[in-house]
Amino acid sequence: MHKFGFIIHPIEYEDVSRKFKVMQKFPKWVVEGFTRLLPPMKVSEITGVRSKYAETEGWFVAVPLTSEQMLKLPEDYVLKKIIKAVKIAENLGAEIVGLGAMTSVVGDAGITIAKNSNIAVTTGNSYTVATAVEGAIKAAELMGKDVRDSHVVVIGATGSIGKVCAEILSRDAKYMTLVARNKEKLQNFRDYLMQKTGMSAHITSDVKEALEDADIIITVTSAVDTVIKPEYLKPGAVVCDVARPRDVSKEVADKRDDVLVIEGGVVEVPGDVDFHFNFGFPPKTSYACMAETMILAMEGRIENYSLGRDLTVEQVDEIARLAKKHGFKLAGFRSFEREVTMEKIESVRKNAKKKLETWKFA
C-alpha cells in the first residue's frame, strides 16, 4: 500500500483561534505573530480510503501560516516552512504529498518544493480543474442553463487552473470572457485559445464589466481579498468558486438569493474514510486537490504531478479517468461551508426568474 501526506494551513486567522481557543482573546496581529513561532506539525492520520482496486492511508501536516502570511511573508521563508512540512510527511511514511490551498500557490507552484523533497509532490490542480468544470456545468443545468448557449467567464484565466478550465470550457461555450490582471498575458492566452479551439474570447481586467452578462463563472484567482461582489452578478448567474481564500464575497450569499454560488472541487472519497480532523466538510468528502493525492497513491503513480503553471488538458483528462476508476466522484454542491440542497437550487432558480424581468429593463 502506498501512503500519502497532505499539507494544510489556516485559511484565515480565525481558523487559528478555533484551534487554539486561548487565541480568541487576542487581536489579529498577536495571533499571526503566534503562528509564525509555530513549527509545521502532524495534525491527524487519514484512514479507510479504499476502492475495489486499491487502498491508501495518509496524514494531514499543517504549516501554521494564514493565507495572508503565505503571500506577504518572504517567499524563501514560506517555502522553507512548506518543505519542512513535506519532510514530516516523508518521515511518517508518505511516498507522495499534496499541497493544499496557498501552499500550492507560493513560489513556482510546487516545483521548488519538489526539487527539495525526497518524495513525489502534486498541487492537486488537475483534479481540481476536472471537478470545477464538471460541477459548474452540472449546476448550470440544474439552473436551466446550457453551456452551449451561455456566456462563460473565467476569472484568473492566465493562472494554471484558469487556463485549463477555459480551454476545456471553450470546447462547448458559445461566448467566453477571460479575466486577469496582466493584459499582455491575457492577450497571449486569448490568441492561443483561438488557435487551439477556435474560441474568440473577450478579455478584460475589469471583473465588474466581465460579469454584467455572465451566465456561468469559474473564479480561481490567488487574491487574498474577495473579487466578486453582490452587485456584480446578474440574476440566475452560476458561480463556481475554486479559489482559497474565496473569491466570492460572503455578502453574495447574504444579499443575493437569485444567484447560485458553489465551491469547486468537493469530492466523495471511496471507502470508509476518516480524516480524524474537521476541515468543514461532511464526512467522507474532501477537496479535489486532496483527492488527487489519494488517487495517485492508490494507482501507484508515485511521481510529481500537477506542478508549475502549465497544466495540460491531457493531465486533467487522465486524472479524471483514474478518479472514476477508483470511485471518486462529485459530492453534490457546497457553498460557504453549507450543503446546497435541490430545494435551495429550485428556490434560487425561481427568485432569478422573477428578478430577471426587472434586471433586463434596469
Side-chain angles (χ1 to χ4, degrees):
M1 178 170 60
H2 300 286
K3 299 188 178 184
F4 69 93
F6 194 78
I7 311 302
I8 60 175
H9 70 90
I11 301 296
E12 301 166 325
Y13 82 96
E14 289 89 351
D15 294 333
V16 182
S17 355
R18 278 196 289 272
K19 174 71 175 173
F20 301 97
K21 302 296 184 187
V22 68
M23 288 288 106
Q24 292 175 355
K25 302 175 183 177
F26 295 97
K28 179 180 176 182
W29 68 270
V30 173
V31 174
E32 291 188 337
F34 170 69
T35 63
R36 286 194 66 172
L37 296 174
L38 292 172
M41 63 189 79
K42 171 191 166 184
V43 172
S44 71
E45 186 174 3
I46 302 165
T47 58
V49 185
R50 186 176 297 107
S51 76
K52 63 180 181 179
Y53 299 104
E55 60 184 290
T56 186
E57 294 177 352
W59 299 268
F60 279 134
V61 179
V63 175
L65 295 173
T66 65
S67 300
E68 192 172 349
Q69 288 176 304
M70 289 264 180
L71 291 177
K72 289 186 175 179
L73 288 170
E75 189 176 285
D76 284 351
Y77 173 84
V78 176
L79 286 173
K80 283 177 183 176
K81 287 261 191 183
I82 298 170
I83 291 165
K84 283 181 181 177
V86 173
K87 188 67 179 176
I88 291 172
E90 179 191 348
N91 290 339
L92 287 166
E95 298 168 76
I96 185 168
V97 68
L99 304 177
M102 300 304 288
T103 66
S104 69
V105 174
V106 175
D108 48 15
I111 293 173
T112 296
I113 295 166
K115 285 178 179 176
N116 287 275
S117 303
N118 296 319
I119 57 177
V121 177
T122 183
T123 61
N125 285 346
S126 294
Y127 196 44
T128 296
V129 168
T131 56
V133 172
E134 181 187 356
I137 291 173
K138 185 175 180 181
E141 287 173 355
L142 292 170
M143 286 286 289
K145 299 177 186 295
D146 187 329
V147 67
R148 292 169 296 184
D149 298 316
S150 297
H151 176 197
V152 176
V153 174
V154 179
I155 303 176
T158 57
S160 58
I161 294 179
K163 284 195 289 189
V164 180
C165 282
E167 186 173 337
I168 292 172
L169 284 163
S170 68
R171 296 166 173 169
D172 298 310
K174 189 172 185 179
Y175 308 106
M176 180 173 286
T177 297
L178 307 173
V179 186
R181 285 174 292 189
N182 187 311
K183 291 185 178 179
E184 185 180 351
K185 285 184 178 179
L186 259 180
Q187 289 168 350
N188 290 340
F189 181 56
R190 176 184 60 185
D191 295 343
Y192 164 83
L193 206 59
M194 178 66 180
Q195 191 174 34
K196 185 81 180 284
T197 70
M199 168 60 71
S200 179
H202 174 66
I203 59 172
T204 180
S205 295
D206 187 330
V207 173
K208 186 178 180 181
E209 175 206 325
L211 298 183
E212 283 177 356
D213 191 40
D215 298 303
I216 302 170
I217 301 135
I218 289 188
T219 184
V220 58
T221 78
S222 54
V224 174
D225 299 318
T226 55
V227 297
I228 298 179
K229 303 185 185 304
E231 62 272 20
Y232 292 179
L233 298 163
K234 84 171 187 181
V238 174
V239 187
C240 180
D241 192 348
V242 187
R244 288 296 175 273
R246 290 185 179 87
D247 281 340
V248 180
S249 166
K250 185 70 167 65
E251 285 184 287
V252 174
D254 297 334
K255 295 181 178 179
R256 296 295 303 270
D257 60 0
D258 59 331
V259 300
L260 180 62
V261 179
I262 62 171
E263 296 173 353
V266 183
V267 174
E268 182 180 317
V269 179
D272 193 23
V273 61
D274 191 339
F275 294 104
H276 297 96
F277 177 72
N278 180 11
F279 52 92
F281 274 28
K284 302 182 182 180
T285 64
S286 78
Y287 287 113
C289 51
M290 295 180 192
E292 178 171 311
T293 315
M294 299 175 206
I295 292 163
L296 291 169
M298 293 171 86
E299 191 65 14
R301 294 284 294 270
I302 307 305
E303 62 191 65
N304 294 335
Y305 203 91
S306 301
L307 294 185
R309 308 292 180 196
D310 297 310
L311 296 180
T312 66
V313 172
E314 289 73 25
Q315 278 179 299
V316 174
D317 289 343
E318 180 181 30
I319 201 70
R321 178 182 62 80
L322 295 176
K324 186 175 181 180
K325 170 185 171 180
H326 288 286
F328 290 80
K329 58 185 178 181
L330 199 66
F333 305 111
R334 286 175 58 78
S335 182
F336 297 100
E337 311 302 340
R338 295 183 180 181
E339 180 186 6
V340 179
T341 63
M342 291 305 298
E343 290 77 14
K344 170 69 174 176
I345 294 172
E346 186 57 31
S347 173
V348 171
R349 184 174 174 172
K350 286 179 179 177
N351 292 334
K353 189 175 180 180
K354 289 177 187 175
K355 292 185 182 180
L356 204 50
E357 292 302 319
T358 309
W359 177 83
K360 283 178 181 177
F361 298 104

